[in-house]
Amino acid sequence: MPKSIVGGNWKMNTTLQEAVSLTGLLKDNLKVSQQEGVVLCPPFVYLSAVKDILRGSEIRLGAQDVYFQPKGAFTGEISVGMLKDIGCDYVIIGHSERRQIFKEDNDMVNKKLKSSLQGGVSCIFCVGETLEQRQENLTEKTIRQQIEAGLDEVPSDRYNQIVIAYEPVWAIGTGKNATPEQAQEVHSFIRKLLTHLSNEIVAREMTIIYGGSVTADNIQSLMEGNDINGALVGGASLSADSFTKIVNIIKNSRP
Ligand code: PGA
């Protein structure tokens, strides 16, 4: 059975004070057993402050992006070693906002994935189709290309360090989540694809999470999908109350 993962992707939000207070509330709200598999992804500049508060808790720290080179003249970028150094266990790679706004292609995503795994930081690897691609029946083709290219040259014995996040672009920040059926359909497709790329035992254990307008009101039904092992939450992760509810629902929906 795959481990359930709930990520809070804060994106470019919060002040330092808000980041500190949100983290403190989550640490207090969630019991230790509920904290397992919870990953907070604040902006880079607040990672250390959040890490300090998380000491003594099971909640994990994640970054929202990384650059694939180990060091050097790459103004503005952050390496895997730096993330590791300040205590990040996870990094989000290939988020649709990075792909769309910052023009990251599958090749860049692949380089980032490989260097993160090499550096011992687990990846939350995001894939998802646009509305046009869905309307043109290109959902599976798009996801297949993103996953095959993203995982190119990644040995399958590293797959246990990868969480796949299915985030349909049309559902992100729009308030229009995928229906549980739509999500399960793609998650099951992803698991089949992973079986093909590795084997059944590896693919069966991989965590595949859904993202895109997840709220405390819709997560219960989304979790009914057999291949939905958690969520990557944007907007609703900025409130301790709603993120706590989402974590609790996810934790209670699995034995
Ligand atoms: P959202 O964002 O929950 O605000 O739709 C999800 C994400 O982008 O990871």
Side-chain angles (χ1 to χ4, degrees):
M1 182 115 196
K3 186 175 162 190
S4 79
I5 300 274
V6 196
N9 176 9
W10 297 1
K11 308 192 182 183
M12 198 173 74
N13 291 299
T14 72
T15 61
L16 175 58
Q17 211 175 352
E18 285 163 353
V20 164
S21 129
L22 180 53
T23 308
L25 285 170
L26 291 173
K27 188 179 171 185
D28 292 345
N29 284 356
L30 298 170
K31 293 196 208 85
V32 172
S33 62
Q34 293 166 321
Q35 293 177 352
E36 282 167 24
V38 174
V39 185
L40 302 185
C41 304
F44 283 130
V45 288
Y46 305 144
L47 284 168
S48 283
V50 168
K51 180 68 190 177
D52 282 345
I53 299 163
L54 291 180
R55 238 170 271 283
S57 103
E58 284 296 320
I59 300 176
R60 302 292 172 197
L61 188 68
Q64 298 175 16
D65 188 27
V66 68
Y67 193 56
F68 65 88
Q69 293 286 3
K71 64 176 182 176
F74 303 103
T75 302
E77 294 299 317
I78 304 282
S79 71
V80 179
M82 293 170 182
L83 295 184
K84 187 89 184 153
D85 202 18
I86 57 159
C88 281
D89 291 311
Y90 287 87
V91 58
I92 298 175
I93 292 182
H95 190 279
S96 68
E97 285 148 18
R98 302 275 345 150
R99 292 178 189 264
Q100 297 205 312
I101 307 170
F102 302 99
K103 309 293 173 223
E104 282 189 16
D105 58 12
N106 285 332
D107 182 50
M108 175 63 80
V109 169
N110 174 248
K111 288 192 171 96
K112 290 184 173 190
L113 252 155
K114 285 189 291 194
S115 75
S116 299
L117 296 175
Q118 191 99 40
V121 176
S122 296
C123 299
I124 300 178
F125 169 29
C126 302
V127 297
E129 81 288 1
T130 62
L131 185 59
E132 298 72 56
Q133 287 164 331
R134 176 162 282 267
Q135 284 166 343
E136 287 167 27
N137 257 326
L138 294 174
T139 299
E140 292 192 352
K141 186 172 177 214
T142 306
I143 304 287
R144 179 194 297 277
Q145 280 170 347
Q146 290 172 338
I147 291 188
E148 286 182 349
L151 295 182
D152 189 36
E153 295 177 344
V154 176
S156 58
D157 61 3
R158 286 283 170 93
Y159 282 18
N160 58 359
Q161 285 173 261
I162 303 171
V163 174
I164 308 266
Y166 169 56
E167 299 205 303
V169 178
W170 47 272
I172 296 177
T174 57
K176 192 171 175 280
N177 62 289
T179 64
E181 295 72 29
Q182 285 171 325
Q184 168 56 26
E185 198 181 10
V186 179
H187 280 233
S188 144
F189 171 75
I190 292 173
R191 202 173 302 281
K192 283 199 201 96
L193 185 56
L194 293 169
T195 307
H196 178 71
L197 294 174
S198 57
N199 61 57
E200 209 167 316
I201 299 162
V202 169
R204 206 172 44 212
E205 289 303 315
M206 283 188 73
T207 300
I208 308 174
I209 62 180
Y210 168 80
S213 295
V214 167
T215 64
D217 294 327
N218 61 27
I219 189 61
Q220 178 87 56
S221 56
L222 283 161
M223 287 304 292
E224 278 160 23
N226 270 336
D227 292 293
I228 301 177
N229 312 123
L232 184 56
V233 187
S237 72
L238 293 170
S239 143
D241 186 46
S242 65
F243 192 64
T244 300
K245 282 190 188 136
I246 292 169
V247 170
N248 285 333
I249 293 169
I250 291 175
K251 298 284 163 182
N252 293 335
S253 71
R254 285 285 180 266

